[in-house]
């Protein structure tokens, strides 16, 4: 009886499990159905959203286009306003510059020069922006104003240069010469103090004015003003010093003592002119025309040309005048001076535009050397042909012998100068023996003349005594 009961329970338990699984499967099917429904609903909703977004995007596109257009318009307006500010600022600066120009340069030269620079900037700006409606009118007005400004600038340069260009008094020049304590030094080692011809504080102003005139194309007017002003001042300074223009006739009429003094003065004047006046003028010229080398050299040449011509002209007249033995030492002093100043002349008168002045100075040096050599030859001939009737009764030293020996002694004081002089025309070591050769020629000429003069004695013993005394004097003196 117990067994059936057990089977029934098992069967009943299996049915319950199947039912439970069935229920669960049904629930899962229901869940899947609901999930599919939800998915379909979501797809439908998302599809609706995509449609709506597309519609929204289509609706927004005109708004975006207008926004971009407005942004670009704002950018263009901002750019235009900035451009207008630049133009307006140029007009404002132009008005400020014009006000300064109308006042003139005398009160505030620095501001006046800045105003000129501003006018040039304005001209460049409107030349680069000719699309502006009023560019041509502005350019025309500004160019006229600039021309007026430069004209006033030219007058300011002239007045400023005139105000500070005064002849230098001789006393002031003498103060610039080496002191007496240095007289024992060689000429090339002496200290010369270059005078201040224009105050240093004025030179930068003159330079700025000159620079503006050059930039404006007024270079020729600038040169003319500078030349006329400074050259006349330099010439007046030399006149006050005592420099004068002499002709051949003037020199020929002078006694030797007067001419000798003028030669000494000329040597003094040449040193003052080159070492003080021309050196000072070069400094002034270099500072005013700094940055314009060709203009610098040309202006200096034009300022000094007439003064140099007067100084060198005196030397030329001396070389062209009638030669005489006493002039030789003056010629040697002049030659020595020109050789001494040669390097300074070359330095001061540098550049192609000064070439003619350098050549004139070198030409005078060579003329003096040539005239000196010719004077040597003349002296030798004059000694041999001397026909003075002076008779030395006691057979002692003749006056001609004393004169010639004294002359030769002076020549030996110029040994260094004579060596340089002979080098002008000789080569190699020949110049070293030239002085000895010239001296021997003069001595031989003197001896030949003494032989002639000794024949004036009737007594042969007096003839021999005369020759012996004179030759002994010659040897003793030259030894």
């Amino acid at each position: 009886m117990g067994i059936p009961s057990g089977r029934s329970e098992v069967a009943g338990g299996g049915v319950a499990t199947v039912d439970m699984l069935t229920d669960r499967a049904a629930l899962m099917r229901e869940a899947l159905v609901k999930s599919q429904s939800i998915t379909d609903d979501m797809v439908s909703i998302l599809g609706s959203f995509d449609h709506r977004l597309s519609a929204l995007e289509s609706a927004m596109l005109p708004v975006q286009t207008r926004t971009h257009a407005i942004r670009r318009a704002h950018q263009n307006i901002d750019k235009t306003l900035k451009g207008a500010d630049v133009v307006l600022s140029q007009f404002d600066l132009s008005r400020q510059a014009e006000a300064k120009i109308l006042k003139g340069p005398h009160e505030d030269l620095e501001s006046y020069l800045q105003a000129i620079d501003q006018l040039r900037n304005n001209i460049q700006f409107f030349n680069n922006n000719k699309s502006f409606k009023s560019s041509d009118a502005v350019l025309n007005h500004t160019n006229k104003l600039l021309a007026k400004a430069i004209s006033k600038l030219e007058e300011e340069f002239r007045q400023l240069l005139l105000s500070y260009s005064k002849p230098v008094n001789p006393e002031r020049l003498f103060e610039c010469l080496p002191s007496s304590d240095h007289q024992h030094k060689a000429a090339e080692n002496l200290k010369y103090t270059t005078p201040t011809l224009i105050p240093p504080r004025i030179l930068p102003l003159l330079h700025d004015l000159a620079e503006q005139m050059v930039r404006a194309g007024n270079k020729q007017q600038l040169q003319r003003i500078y030349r006329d002003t400074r050259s006349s001042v330099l010439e007046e300074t030399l006149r006050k010093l005592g420099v004068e223009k002499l002709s051949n006739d003037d020199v020929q009429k002078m006694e030797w003592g007067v001419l000798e003094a003028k030669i000494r003065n000329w040597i003094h004047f040449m040193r003052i002119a080159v070492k003080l006046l021309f050196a000072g003028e070069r400094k002034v010229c270099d500072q005013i025309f700094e940055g314009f080398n060709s203009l610098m050299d040309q202006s200096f040449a034009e300022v000094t040309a007439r003064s140099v011509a007067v100084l060198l002209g005196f030397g030329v007249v001396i070389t062209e005048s009638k030669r005489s033995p006493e002039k030789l030492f003056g010629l040697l002093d002049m030659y020595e001076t020109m050789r001494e100043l040669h390097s300074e002349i070359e330095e001061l008168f540098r550049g192609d535009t000064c070439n003619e002045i350098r050549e004139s100075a070198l030409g005078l040096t060579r003329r003096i050397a040539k005239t000196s050599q010719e004077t040597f030859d003349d002296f030798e001939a004059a000694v041999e042909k001397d026909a003075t009737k002076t008779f030395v009764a006691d057979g002692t030293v003749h006056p001609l012998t004393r004169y010639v020996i004294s002359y030769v002694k002076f020549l030996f004081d110029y040994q260094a100068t004579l060596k340089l002089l002979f080098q002008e025309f000789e080569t190699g070591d020949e110049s070293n023996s030239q002085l000895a050769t010239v001296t021997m020629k003069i001595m031989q000429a003197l001896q030949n003349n003494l032989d002639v003069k000794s024949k004036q004695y009737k007594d042969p013993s007096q003839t021999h005594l005369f020759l012996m005394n004179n030759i002994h004097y010659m040897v003793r003196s030259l030894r």
Side-chain angles (χ1 to χ4, degrees), residues 105-106 152-166 202 206 209 225 229:
H106 195 63
K152 289 185 178 182
L153 207 63
E154 182 179 313
E155 185 59 30
E156 180 68 12
F157 181 84
R158 178 188 287 104
Q159 291 302 323
L160 194 62
L161 190 63
L162 276 171
S163 298
Y164 292 96
S165 294
K166 304 297 181 186
I202 301 299
L206 290 169
L209 291 168
I225 294 170
T229 304

Side-chain angles (χ1 to χ4, degrees), residues 44-316:
S44 176
I45 291 169
L46 289 174
S48 175
F49 279 152
D50 184 58
H51 176 72
R52 290 175 184 177
L53 287 172
S54 298
L56 181 62
E57 185 177 276
S58 298
M60 289 295 293
L61 185 60
V63 175
Q64 290 175 341
T65 301
R66 285 196 298 273
T67 302
H68 286 306
I70 291 170
R71 186 179 294 113
R72 284 196 301 271
H74 277 293
Q75 290 173 346
N76 290 334
I77 291 169
D78 186 54
K79 185 177 180 181
T80 301
L81 288 174
K82 287 180 180 179
D85 284 340
V86 172
V87 175
L88 290 173
S89 68
Q90 288 294 322
F91 278 111
D92 188 45
L93 291 171
S94 182
R95 284 194 297 270
Q96 293 175 17
E98 183 171 1
K100 292 178 182 178
I101 295 300
L102 294 176
K103 283 184 180 179
H106 195 63
E107 291 183 7
D108 188 350
L109 179 58
E110 186 175 353
S111 295
Y112 190 87
L113 294 175
Q114 289 172 356
I116 288 178
D117 284 335
Q118 184 57 54
L119 289 180
R120 287 199 172 98
N121 291 336
N122 289 348
I123 290 171
Q124 183 178 1
F125 175 83
F126 286 106
N127 271 324
N128 294 336
N129 296 276
K130 286 193 173 182
S131 57
F132 297 139
K133 187 176 180 180
S134 58
S135 289
D136 290 340
V138 172
L139 281 170
N140 186 45
H141 176 72
T142 307
N143 278 313
K144 287 181 179 178
L145 187 60
L146 181 60
K148 183 185 294 185
I150 295 299
S151 178
K152 289 185 178 182
L153 207 63
E154 182 179 313
E155 185 59 30
E156 180 68 12
F157 181 84
R158 178 188 287 104
Q159 291 302 323
L160 194 62
L161 190 63
L162 276 171
S163 298
Y164 292 96
S165 294
K166 304 297 181 186
V168 185
N169 290 325
E171 293 77 14
R172 187 168 152 224
L173 290 173
F174 296 152
E175 291 172 359
C176 299
L177 296 173
S179 64
S180 56
D181 297 334
H182 299 142
Q183 286 183 353
H184 63 282
K185 290 186 178 180
E188 62 270 16
N189 297 325
L190 293 175
K191 177 70 174 178
Y192 289 77
T193 306
T194 306
T196 300
L197 302 182
I198 292 180
R201 64 185 177 84
I202 301 299
L203 292 173
L205 297 178
L206 290 169
H207 170 267
D208 291 343
L209 291 168
E211 184 178 28
Q212 290 288 355
M213 290 176 68
V214 172
R215 288 179 62 187
N218 292 25
K219 187 171 72 171
Q220 290 185 341
Q221 294 93 313
L222 173 64
Q223 283 182 273
R224 176 178 48 77
I225 294 170
Y226 187 80
R227 178 197 64 216
D228 293 348
T229 304
R230 294 303 304 164
S231 62
S232 60
V233 169
L234 181 57
E235 290 169 50
E236 181 61 26
T237 299
L238 290 174
R239 277 195 294 271
K240 284 189 171 188
L241 189 62
V243 175
E244 55 185 331
K245 187 175 182 179
L246 297 176
S247 66
N248 286 335
D249 290 339
D250 294 331
V251 172
Q252 296 294 358
K253 294 173 184 176
M254 287 181 189
E255 295 181 359
W256 167 240
V258 176
L259 184 58
E260 185 181 28
K262 289 192 178 295
I263 290 175
R264 286 198 301 269
N265 287 339
W266 179 85
I267 289 169
H268 192 48
F269 297 155
M270 278 297 296
R271 289 199 177 103
I272 289 176
V274 173
K275 293 177 177 290
L276 301 182
L277 292 175
F278 295 158
E281 195 65 48
R282 186 81 216 198
K283 282 187 176 181
V284 168
C285 199
D286 287 358
Q287 290 183 63
I288 292 178
F289 298 108
E290 184 181 2
F292 308 101
N293 290 344
S294 61
L295 188 58
M296 184 190 299
D297 293 339
Q298 187 171 351
S299 297
F300 179 69
E302 291 180 356
V303 165
T304 56
R306 290 203 297 263
S307 294
V308 171
V310 171
L311 287 164
L312 297 184
F314 175 85
V316 172

